[in-house]
């Protein structure tokens, strides 16, 4: 076998030599090609969207719909439970202190009063008998007919009977109070702004039945979203416009800001006091409330341009075709924009899109420029 291979190699020696030479030439040519013709690396420069900084007029005024409300409102409720048998007021009625607004069935409470009165009568009789016995035995003791211990016993019975009578009288007063609680009365002069109880309804003790707005001061109630809560503060001035009064305006100030948001709307209730309420402004009337300051000149950029890094806020500015991160001091927010108090100047080119992919000194092209 070995001799066959040797003879075959000798017979094809020229062919093998030519093949080796061809392969060697190819390898040398490939190496020379790499040396002489190095691959060109294309440099990709990204495009960015920018805005050019200039002084802009912006306003921090916000407008909210409001409603005329009373400064002091009382939500009245029964102090005992029972079925409502009579309702004497309707929405918008004028009421006076002591007026009976609603009644609940007093039969069960009346029975408690009767029981308490019977207990008092019994206690009165027992106390009278104990007093008579104590007086008689005191006389016998003074005559030496009975011992001191016997007189002490009747005297103690007298004191116990008096205590029982006082207890029964206190229970009667409690029952009479409960009977009085079956009448829902107005605690001050005012206007009925809400009625939730109806005849036949079983009212629970403490459940709101009637809301009465006191006569006197009126306020405007608005609801502010949580995103703008930082733009308002107590005593902040505002302007109120009444649509129903021919766009009559009045000046007011924030009196109260709710510390907790409404569970459903996630807004905060705000009350605005008006020293001089326009004539004709009625409870429930709608109004437009304008809060904030007038327009002013400032640097304003889109929120998308802000870049957070290392606990500070900055923006990417294009200078000489390259980006650099500039720290800025933020001012008030307005919808999708924000004002810049310090850090930027007129003419600065700020990147507004794709900022997460940028790095310091990176070369960029402005969107819309030629290649």
């Amino acid at each position: 076998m070995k001799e066959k291979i040797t003879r075959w190699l000798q017979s094809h020696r020229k062919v093998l030599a030519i093949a080796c030479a061809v392969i060697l030439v190819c390898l040398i040519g490939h190496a020379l090609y790499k040396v002489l013709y190095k691959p060109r690396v294309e440099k990709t420069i990204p495009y960015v969207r920018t805005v050019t900084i200039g002084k802009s007029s912006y306003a921090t005024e916000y407008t909210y719909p409001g409603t005329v409300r009373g400064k002091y409102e009382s939500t009245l409720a029964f102090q005992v439970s029972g079925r409502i048998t009579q309702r004497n007021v309707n929405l918008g009625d004028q009421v006076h202190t002591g007026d009976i607004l609603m009644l609940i069935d007093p039969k069960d409470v009346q029975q408690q009063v009767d029981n308490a009165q019977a207990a008092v009568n019994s206690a009165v009789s027992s106390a009278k008998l104990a007093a008579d016995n104590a007086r008689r035995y005191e006389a016998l003791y003074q005559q030496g007919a009975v011992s001191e211990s016997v007189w002490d016993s009747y005297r103690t019975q007298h004191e116990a009977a008096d205590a029982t009578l006082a207890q029964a009288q206190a229970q009667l007063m409690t029952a009479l109070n409960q009977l009085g609680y079956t009448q829902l009365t107005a605690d001050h002069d005012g206007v009925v702004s809400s009625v939730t109880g109806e005849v036949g309804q079983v009212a629970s003790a403490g459940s709101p039945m009637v809301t009465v707005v006191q006569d006197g001061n009126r306020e405007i109630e608005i609801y502010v979203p949580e995103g703008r809560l930082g733009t308002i503060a107590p005593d902040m001035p505002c302007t109120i416009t009444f649509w129903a009064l021919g766009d009559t305006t009045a000046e007011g100030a924030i009196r109260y800001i709710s510390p907790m948001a409404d569970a459903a709307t996630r807004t905060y209730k705000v009350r605005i006091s008006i020293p001089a309420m326009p004539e004709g402004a009625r409870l429930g009337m709608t109004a437009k409330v304008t809060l904030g300051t007038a327009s002013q000149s400032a640097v304003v950029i889109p929120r998308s341009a802000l870049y957070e890094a290392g606990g500070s806020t900055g923006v990417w500015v294009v200078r000489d075709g390259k980006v650099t991160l500039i720290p800025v001091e933020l001012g008030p927010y307005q919808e999708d924009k924000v004002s810049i108090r310090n850090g930027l100047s007129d003419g600065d080119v700020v990147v507004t899109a794709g900022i997460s992919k940028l790095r310091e000194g990176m070369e960029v092209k402005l969107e819309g420029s030629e290649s």
Side-chain angles (χ1 to χ4, degrees):
M1 184 68 181
K2 186 176 181 181
E3 293 178 355
K4 290 182 179 181
I5 294 174
T6 301
R7 286 197 300 270
W8 185 86
L9 290 174
Q10 289 177 352
S11 60
H12 296 80
R13 185 168 47 190
K14 292 183 179 181
V15 176
L16 292 175
I18 294 172
C20 290
V22 171
I23 293 173
L24 181 59
V25 170
C26 290
L27 292 175
I28 294 172
H30 181 68
L32 290 174
Y33 180 82
K34 282 187 173 183
V35 173
L36 297 176
Y37 301 96
K38 293 183 178 179
R40 298 177 62 185
V41 177
E42 291 287 341
K43 184 177 181 181
T44 302
I45 301 176
Y47 284 89
V48 292
R49 184 176 300 172
T50 60
V51 294
T52 302
I53 296 300
K55 293 290 185 179
S56 301
S57 294
Y58 80 103
T60 56
E61 290 185 341
Y62 298 102
T63 301
Y64 304 93
T67 306
V68 178
R69 303 293 295 269
K71 183 175 182 179
Y72 301 106
E73 301 181 358
S74 297
T75 301
L76 306 179
F78 287 107
Q79 293 180 252
V80 293
S81 300
R83 183 175 61 85
I84 299 175
T85 59
Q86 187 175 341
R87 194 190 82 178
N88 300 328
V89 293
N90 294 304
L91 192 65
D93 286 354
Q94 185 78 33
V95 296
H96 302 282
T97 303
D99 287 353
I100 298 176
L101 309 180
M102 288 185 182
L103 295 173
I104 61 175
D105 191 348
K107 288 188 295 185
D108 292 339
V109 182
Q110 184 62 54
Q111 289 180 354
Q112 297 177 12
V113 173
D114 294 341
N115 291 337
Q117 184 62 61
V120 169
N121 295 337
S122 176
V124 168
S125 298
S126 298
K128 183 178 181 302
L129 177 60
D132 292 342
N133 288 337
R135 188 167 51 253
R136 284 194 296 268
Y137 275 87
E138 182 181 7
L140 292 174
Y141 170 71
Q142 295 296 337
Q143 297 172 5
V146 295
S147 65
E148 184 178 0
S149 63
V150 174
W151 176 56
D152 286 342
S153 174
Y154 281 94
R155 185 174 59 183
T156 302
Q157 291 178 14
H158 180 207
E159 293 173 353
D162 286 344
T164 301
L165 174 59
Q167 181 181 14
Q169 290 173 337
Q171 291 176 347
L172 175 60
M173 290 301 299
T174 300
L176 289 173
N177 289 337
Q178 295 290 318
L179 184 61
Y181 295 153
T182 61
Q183 299 179 349
L184 185 63
T185 59
D187 59 348
H188 55 260
D189 296 347
V191 178
V192 176
S193 64
S194 173
V195 178
T196 56
E198 296 292 342
V199 175
Q201 176 182 340
V202 177
S204 300
S207 297
M209 293 289 112
V210 179
T211 300
V212 177
V213 179
Q214 285 190 23
D215 286 340
N217 295 336
R218 298 286 188 266
E219 293 184 332
I220 305 297
E221 183 178 86
I222 63 174
Y223 287 87
V224 177
E226 58 186 11
R228 294 180 181 172
L229 195 61
T231 64
I232 62 175
D235 299 327
M236 183 177 182
C238 53
T239 302
I240 301 92
T241 305
F242 297 87
W243 291 300
L245 302 179
D247 288 337
T248 300
T249 61
E251 298 300 321
I254 294 177
R255 180 185 67 84
Y256 168 80
I257 301 174
S258 174
M260 180 177 295
D262 183 86
T265 63
R266 307 309 305 167
T267 56
Y268 290 80
K269 181 170 68 175
V270 175
R271 284 293 188 102
I272 298 169
S273 60
I274 303 177
M277 181 69 73
E279 294 184 6
R282 299 179 178 274
L283 291 172
M285 186 174 288
T286 56
K288 179 178 69 174
V289 179
T290 303
L291 300 172
T293 59
S295 297
Q296 54 185 329
S297 181
V299 174
V300 180
I301 63 173
R303 286 193 186 188
S304 60
L306 298 180
Y307 183 80
E308 299 288 340
S312 61
T313 303
V315 296
W316 290 102
V317 176
V318 181
R319 293 175 179 172
D320 298 327
K322 297 181 180 180
V323 293
T324 183
L325 185 62
I326 304 297
V328 294
E329 181 182 353
L330 302 181
Y333 285 83
Q334 184 183 21
E335 302 300 336
D336 61 342
K337 296 183 179 180
V338 60
S339 62
I340 303 298
R341 293 175 177 166
N342 189 20
L344 295 178
S345 304
D346 287 352
D348 284 343
V349 179
V350 176
V351 180
T352 61
I355 61 176
S356 61
K357 298 179 179 180
L358 300 179
R359 60 183 181 273
E360 187 68 29
M362 183 176 180
E363 188 175 353
V364 294
K365 290 181 180 180
L366 304 187
E367 190 175 65
S369 64
E370 295 182 359
S371 302

